[in-house]
Amino acid sequence: VLGKGGVGKSTIAAALLLSLQRAGARVLGIELDAPGGLSRTLGVELPEANVAVRSASGVHLAWFDGALALAEYLSRKVRLGRLATPIFQHPLYEAFVHAAPGVKELMAIGKVRDELLLQKRWDAVVVDAGASGHALEYLRMPAVAAAAFHRGRVHREAKQVHASLSDANITAIHVVTTAEEMPVLEAVESVQRIRSELQLPLGHVILNRCLELPPDDIQATIQSLARLAPDAPMLFSARRALGWIEIQERYAADLERDVGVKPLRMPQLIADELTLLDLETLAPGFTGSARGIS
Ligand SMILES: Nc1ncnc2c1ncn2[C@@H]1O[C@H](COP(=O)(O)OP(=O)(O)OP(=O)(O)O)[C@@H](O)[C@H]1O
Ligand SMILES: [Mg+2]
C-alpha cells in the first residue's frame, strides 16, 4: 500500500488487514524502516525489529529493518559460527548496509517475500510501504540488483524476489489517494511507473476520504428550500457541501481518466481519532479474496 503523505495509507492497510482476517486469513501487517502509522492505528507497540506482535484485533504486526534482515540472511546462507555476532555488531557492517545504495531496501523487500512464501505462517501480508517515491524504490530494487549482478547468488535471489513481486497471483500494489490536486497527481504518476517502468501488478487505486454523494434531486430540493426560506442557514451549508463534492468529483474524474480504472472509494469517516470499529466500516470496501482484489 503506497501513496502521498497523509492520504490514509496506514488506515487503508489496517482496514485491508482486518478485511482479510475477517475472511479467515492469517495475516501479517508489515511496516518498513521503523514502526509507524500502521502499528499506531491498530494500537500495537513494536519494540523490536522483525518480531511479529499480535494486536487486540487479532492481526499480527511487525516492522522490518534491512540491516537486520541482511544479518539474518547471511547467518542462514553462510556458516559464520561464532564469528556471526561480532561481524554483525561491527560498525563497518552497519556502515556498509547504510551506505551501499539499495541494500537495505533489497533486503527488507526480500524479507517480506520470505515471510509470505517461506514461513508458511501467513496467508497474506500487507505492507504499509509509505510515501510513493520511497515505496517505489523498494519495489524497483530486486530488478535493479538482478540486472546489476549478471550471475551468482545475488542475481539468483534478487531475480526470485522480483518474480514474486511481478506475479499478479501473489502481489498487488494498492495506490491510495484523496480527491485533491497533489495526491491525485502523485497517484497517477505512481500508477504509470508501476505499469510501465516497474511492470508490476497494480491492485486497487483507492480514493480515500470520499464525501457521500447527494441524492439526484438535490438541486430541486435546494431550489424549493430557497423559495421557502432564502436566508436559512441550512441552505448555506447545503450549497457549501455541494461545492466540496463538486471539487471532489472533478478530481475523481481526473484520476479515473488518467489511470484508466475505476477507483475504489472509501468513505470519509467522522471521528477525531479512528477506532477499530471505524476501520471495520472501511473493511467491506475490499472483497474477501486473499489479495483484497475484486
Ligand atoms: N477514511 C477516513 N476517514 C476519516 N479519517 C481518515 C480516513 N483515512 C485516514 N484518516 C485519518 O487521516 C489521518 C492520516 O491517515 P494515515 O495515517 O492513515 O495516513 P498515511 O498516508 O499513512 O500518512 P503518512 O504519510 O504520515 O504515513 C489519520 O488521522 C487518519 O485517522
Ligand atoms: Mg502512514
Side-chain angles (χ1 to χ4, degrees):
V1 179
L2 56 86
K4 188 168 165 53
V7 296
K9 301 174 291 291
S10 302
T11 306
I12 295 295
L16 180 53
L17 277 165
L18 292 173
S19 110
L20 291 164
Q21 189 208 33
R22 200 184 298 165
R26 296 163 305 163
V27 290
L28 173 69
I30 298 171
E31 306 195 85
L32 301 173
D33 292 336
L38 183 59
S39 43
R40 212 168 34 245
T41 303
L42 289 169
V44 179
E45 295 258 347
L46 298 177
E48 243 182 293
N50 297 6
V51 177
V53 175
R54 190 175 186 276
S55 75
S57 55
V59 305
H60 281 79
L61 296 173
W63 69 278
F64 284 2
D65 172 74
L68 251 181
L70 180 59
E72 202 182 279
Y73 171 85
L74 290 174
S75 308
R76 219 171 49 228
K77 296 283 176 179
V78 189
R79 276 193 215 99
L80 293 169
R82 280 184 302 149
L83 276 177
T85 306
I87 287 178
F88 299 137
Q89 282 176 351
H90 198 282
L92 261 180
Y93 171 79
E94 273 286 305
F96 165 73
V97 177
H98 290 284
V103 169
K104 252 178 357 131
E105 285 79 4
L106 180 62
M107 293 316 298
I109 203 79
K111 187 164 166 54
V112 170
R113 172 198 173 266
D114 290 353
E115 201 65 38
L116 179 66
L117 298 182
L118 303 186
Q119 298 291 333
K120 308 276 183 221
R121 196 176 158 196
W122 318 109
D123 300 309
V125 301
V126 174
V127 183
D128 182 354
S132 319
H134 198 197
L136 293 175
E137 274 310 290
Y138 276 99
L139 294 169
R140 198 171 72 90
M141 256 321 131
V144 169
F149 294 83
H150 297 296
R151 61 175 87 85
R153 185 172 270 167
V154 177
H155 172 78
R156 281 196 308 276
E157 300 265 344
K159 203 171 150 189
Q160 271 178 10
V161 177
H162 179 63
S164 306
L165 275 182
S166 321
D167 185 344
N169 290 312
I170 300 178
T171 303
I173 301 158
H174 302 300
V175 178
V176 185
T177 183
T178 46
E180 296 169 282
E181 184 175 7
M182 296 312 288
V184 164
L185 285 176
E186 195 164 312
V188 169
E189 192 195 329
S190 297
V191 168
Q192 285 165 349
R193 285 193 61 195
I194 290 164
R195 282 193 178 129
S196 51
E197 180 194 334
L198 307 181
Q199 303 193 350
L200 296 176
L202 181 69
H204 289 300
V205 176
I206 297 168
L207 193 57
N208 190 27
R209 310 193 76 152
C210 286
L211 302 170
E212 200 179 325
L213 298 182
D216 287 344
D217 59 356
I218 187 69
Q219 289 299 354
T221 309
I222 286 181
Q223 275 161 21
S224 315
L225 181 62
R227 274 195 300 277
L228 285 171
D231 297 323
M234 207 169 100
L235 196 60
F236 172 75
S237 303
R239 285 188 170 133
R240 195 170 56 174
L242 275 183
W244 283 117
I245 292 171
E246 225 168 79
I247 295 171
Q248 165 181 300
E249 291 311 300
R250 224 174 298 145
Y251 285 122
D254 287 353
L255 177 68
E256 185 170 341
R257 182 196 61 218
D258 291 346
V259 298
V261 291
K262 216 170 186 48
L264 181 64
R265 286 175 178 241
M266 293 287 170
Q268 164 70 41
L269 301 172
I270 312 293
D272 285 340
E273 214 161 291
L274 299 186
T275 62
L276 206 58
L277 211 64
D278 292 318
L279 293 172
E280 301 241 337
T281 64
L282 289 178
F286 304 102
T287 62
S289 85
R291 290 174 299 134
I293 298 272
S294 50

